[in-house]
């Protein structure tokens, strides 16, 4: 009986996939697979998952494994077990060589049988281990995901950081700052933390760049800090629009005591641009932040904010991004990570 129900569920999901592939929006049919992927990816990272899906389906059929992976990761998910729908898309992505999807197939959340998990593990290691032997920073980081909560995880993450992967550098800096790494001599821990944070920012990891900008401003150098943050505002990074908007508008001053630089109009522009660009169906926090900043403005300031917000959105696309896009790496292009991040190694 259970097997029959599972079979019916699988059939229904496969049928829905086929149906959705037929129901592509007219706009998608005029796009190349690459264009559909970019469109779908942007909508996905604006939390507009339903709008994104037809474009991502079209892109997935056109060979973009990451498109299926993004569909699988749309919205909320159960941390302990995959839904049948998530599993089907993760499997589609994994079969097309998507590395994070292959990790998903191996994980405890996966519906795959143990024998199938072992087959995926072998496939994954066959790709990742040779790259690790070449010193590929991302290969270390990807493998570390299979060893969370073990000593091997920390070792692999450290190897990734010192080989040059910015996200791992950020994480190691955080860990050292919190006290991990007992081997440091007095005074050397702070230097190592600063070195890792700087490397992560230099490597293009947006969270590290944002941290650098915030700490520079909190330290009193407003012009330099704002120049750093403006580089991410110009990219339309949703996280920096949120973090900087909250600080500049003053709505976060009760909690962020070290921040003393305020610009209510600029802060409200960032928060309104973010609220207008993202869907409140998944998370209405951005709209709430924008409403709180708006309530502090005079009528004249509100008119100014409306004008500046329109100008900003006419020239920028706002969506969530981290600067690394590791979700786009597959069996076929993992080697390119060595070229991209290999120059960011730490001695």
């Amino acid at each position: 009986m259970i097997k029959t129900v599972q079979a019916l569920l699988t059939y229904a999901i496969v049928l829905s996939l086929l149906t959705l592939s037929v129901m592509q929006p007219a706009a998608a049919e005029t796009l190349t697979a690459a264009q559909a992927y970019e469109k779908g990816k942007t909508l996905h990272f604006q939390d507009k998952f339903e709008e994104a899906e037809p474009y991502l389906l079209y892109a997935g059929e056109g060979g973009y494994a990451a498109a299926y992976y993004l569909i699988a990761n749309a919205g909320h998910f159960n941390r302990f077990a995959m839904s049948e729908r998530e599993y089907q898309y993760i499997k589609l992505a994994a079969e097309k060589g998507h590395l994070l999807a292959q990790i998903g197939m191996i994980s405890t959340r996966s519906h795959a049988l143990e024998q199938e998990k072992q087959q995926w593990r072998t496939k994954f290691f066959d790709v990742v281990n040779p790259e690790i032997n070449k010193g590929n920073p991302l290969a270390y980081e990807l493998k570390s995901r299979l060893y969370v909560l073990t000593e091997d995880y920390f070792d692999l993450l450290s190897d990734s950081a010192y080989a040059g992967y910015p996200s791992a550098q950020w994480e190691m800096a955080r860990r050292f700052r919190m006290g991990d790494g007992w081997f440091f001599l007095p005074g050397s821990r702070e230097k190592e933390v600063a070195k890792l944070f700087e490397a992560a920012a230099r490597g293009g990891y947006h969270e590290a760049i944002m941290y650098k900008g915030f700490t520079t401003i909190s330290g009193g150098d407003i012009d330099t800090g704002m120049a750093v943050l403006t580089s991410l505002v110009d990219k339309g990074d949703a996280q920096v629009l949120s973090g900087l908007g909250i600080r500049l508008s003053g709505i976060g001053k009760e909690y962020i005591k070290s921040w003393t630089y305020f610009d209510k109009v600029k802060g409200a522009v960032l928060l309104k641009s973010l609220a207008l660009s993202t869907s409140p169906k998944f998370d209405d926090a951005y709209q709430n932040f924008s409403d709180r900043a708006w309530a502090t403005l005079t009528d004249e300031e509100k008119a100014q904010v409306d004008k500046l917000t329109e100008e900003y959105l006419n020239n920028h696309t706002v969506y969530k991004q981290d600067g690394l896009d590791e979700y786009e790496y597959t069996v076929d292009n993992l080697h390119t990570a060595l070229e991209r991040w290999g120059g960011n190694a730490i001695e």
Side-chain angles (χ1 to χ4, degrees), residues 55-205:
Y55 293 100
L56 293 174
L57 279 170
Y58 187 73
E61 292 166 2
Y64 281 79
Y68 288 137
Y69 181 76
L70 292 179
I71 294 174
N73 285 276
H76 295 288
F77 66 95
N78 186 322
R79 61 180 292 195
F80 300 108
M82 292 182 182
S83 68
E84 188 62 33
R85 186 174 188 277
E86 181 189 352
Y87 173 73
Q88 293 297 330
Y89 280 114
I90 285 288
K91 189 171 183 179
L92 281 171
E95 289 169 347
K96 287 185 174 293
H98 194 278
L99 291 163
L100 290 178
Q102 291 184 359
I103 293 173
M105 291 297 293
I106 299 166
S107 74
T108 56
R109 297 180 65 247
S110 171
H111 294 185
L113 299 175
E114 286 306 314
Q115 182 179 358
E116 186 180 3
K117 287 184 179 182
Q118 187 55 50
Q119 291 171 346
W120 281 113
R121 181 181 288 269
T122 300
K123 288 181 181 179
F124 179 76
F125 284 163
D126 283 348
V127 174
V128 171
N129 284 341
E131 288 298 319
I132 284 177
N133 292 336
K134 297 175 187 177
N136 189 325
L138 180 54
Y140 284 114
E141 199 274 342
L142 290 172
K143 188 172 181 178
S144 76
R145 297 178 185 225
L146 296 180
Y147 297 92
V148 176
L149 303 180
T150 71
E151 187 175 334
D152 287 335
Y153 169 75
F154 188 85
D155 290 343
L156 285 164
L157 191 69
S158 178
D159 288 340
S160 176
Y162 286 95
Y165 191 55
S167 175
Q169 291 166 340
W170 168 261
E171 182 60 24
M172 290 302 296
R174 288 179 62 253
R175 286 171 173 270
F176 287 156
R177 187 174 60 180
M178 290 186 294
D180 289 344
W182 57 268
F183 53 84
F184 283 112
L185 295 171
S188 64
R189 179 186 299 275
E190 291 76 13
K191 293 179 182 177
E192 197 67 16
V193 167
K195 188 192 324 183
L196 284 161
F197 274 139
E198 179 60 33
R202 183 177 64 246
Y205 188 44

Side-chain angles (χ1 to χ4, degrees), residues 287-300:
Q287 186 61 58
N288 289 336
F289 292 148
S290 180
D291 290 344
R292 287 175 58 194
W294 185 261
T296 68
L297 302 174
T298 65
D299 288 344
E300 183 180 351

